Amino acid sequence: MNYVLDSNVLLRMAQDTHLMHAAATQATTTLIRQGETVHIIPQNLYEFWSVATREIKYNGLGLSVSDAQTELARLKSFFSYLPDTPAVCSQWERLIVQYAVIGRDSHDTRIVAAMNVHGVTHLLTFNKDDFRRYTNIVAVSPGEVIAAQQEAPAAHTSVTEADEEIE
């Protein structure tokens, strides 16, 4: 199975002190350990940059341009990168009209459009409700991935290179 990471998961992974950091990191590592392919898309990078370089007092991470650039490179090295194509924009336009999407929700629709074009059906996100209208994808929370892993028989629980790199 293939997954796209929502930008909120990437942002929580980048914030060691955030309450959701451990869940984001553990869920992503679990997927990789289970042999899932985990992707990022350009929309993730745009959203990550916007929050990462925004001042902390405005709910950003307060990273410098240099630090944010380093973090983007790190993300692109850890995860499979699915590029934008002209089909993504066409799919996005179809979806925003089909689902009458307005305002900020259009950013999430761009993620769904990229998923559709690239044939990815699963999204790891902290905001499942934001994707409820899209019936052709499965939004999964980090908590669900962690719970499913804990219920599964213990196959391989040692620390792997993926665990160390994501941290």
Side-chain angles (χ1 to χ4, degrees):
M1 210 172 326
N2 288 318
Y3 279 79
V4 164
L5 295 180
D6 195 3
S7 305
N8 58 40
V9 174
L10 294 171
L11 285 158
R12 300 300 85 80
M13 288 172 60
Q15 293 176 281
D16 293 345
T17 58
H18 196 282
L19 293 175
M20 291 186 239
H21 171 77
T25 303
Q26 184 179 352
T28 304
T29 301
T30 297
L31 291 174
I32 293 169
R33 211 181 303 132
Q34 292 172 344
E36 308 294 358
T37 302
V38 179
H39 304 281
I40 58 173
I41 58 173
Q43 184 67 29
N44 295 136
L45 302 180
Y46 308 148
E47 292 177 19
F48 185 92
W49 186 271
S50 177
V51 175
T53 58
R54 188 181 312 143
E55 293 179 53
I56 293 170
K57 69 181 179 182
Y58 297 117
N59 204 24
L61 303 185
L63 296 183
S64 68
V65 168
S66 177
D67 289 344
Q69 183 180 22
T70 299
E71 190 63 26
L72 285 185
R74 190 172 81 87
L75 293 172
K76 288 169 70 175
S77 74
F78 287 157
F79 304 111
S80 170
Y81 178 75
L82 299 175
D84 271 347
T85 66
V88 172
C89 188
S90 298
Q91 180 68 207
W92 174 78
E93 288 179 12
R94 186 185 68 72
L95 290 170
I96 59 172
V97 171
Q98 177 183 347
Y99 292 103
V101 176
I102 58 173
R104 290 183 180 176
D105 290 345
S106 64
H107 299 295
D108 292 335
T109 307
R110 201 160 188 294
I111 292 171
V112 175
M115 291 174 67
N116 289 347
V117 167
H118 291 289
V120 179
T121 57
H122 286 69
L123 175 72
L124 184 66
T125 181
F126 283 106
N127 300 327
K128 284 178 55 174
D129 286 346
D130 292 353
F131 296 91
R132 188 175 347 130
R133 70 179 90 193
Y134 306 107
T135 58
N136 61 329
I137 68 159
V138 179
V140 180
S141 72
E144 291 171 317
V145 171
I146 294 165
Q149 185 259 342
Q150 291 171 345
E151 292 172 6
H156 174 67
T157 56
S158 66
V159 174
T160 65
E161 283 184 34
D163 297 324
E164 293 170 1
E165 288 178 1
I166 289 175
E167 286 292 326

